[in-house]
Amino acid sequence: MVDKRLAMTDLIYRSIDTISKEQSLPILHSIRVDSTVQKATRSKKFLQDFDPKCKAVEDYRIATDQLLDHLKEQLDGKQLTFAETR
């Protein structure tokens, strides 16, 4: 979860960006800090069940879509490589 109000957040973002570029790794969409997350945790409910329209759930959806797209691209690339070796 990301709290952009904290000074360390910018430093960490820069570090992650550097590592991402060096290692050719994608950076997923950040998950914003939302008071709904703490409320859902206190009530021992899944965030999606507690408030499906909160910003954090929206961020999780975006990050999940990005991850799935990335994994599909990798899988497609491996299938091409496998088919070429036959």
Side-chain angles (χ1 to χ4, degrees), residues 13-76:
Y13 264 132
R14 286 192 304 241
S15 298
I16 290 172
D17 188 53
T18 300
I19 293 168
S20 171
K21 288 176 182 169
E22 289 173 356
Q23 302 294 323
S24 298
L25 298 170
I27 298 175
L28 298 177
H29 184 75
S30 60
I31 311 300
R32 291 172 279 187
V33 171
D34 190 334
S35 63
T36 308
V37 175
Q38 286 79 22
K39 291 176 186 176
T41 302
R42 281 195 300 268
S43 67
K44 298 180 182 178
K45 292 185 178 181
F46 287 110
L47 186 57
Q48 172 67 32
D49 295 335
F50 187 79
D51 184 359
K53 295 182 181 179
C54 79
K55 292 178 183 178
V57 169
E58 178 184 324
D59 292 340
Y60 277 114
R61 282 191 189 115
I62 293 169
T64 300
D65 288 342
Q66 289 176 333
L67 180 58
L68 289 173
D69 289 344
H70 178 71
L71 292 173
K72 285 177 188 174
E73 288 172 9
Q74 283 190 327
L75 184 60
D76 289 344

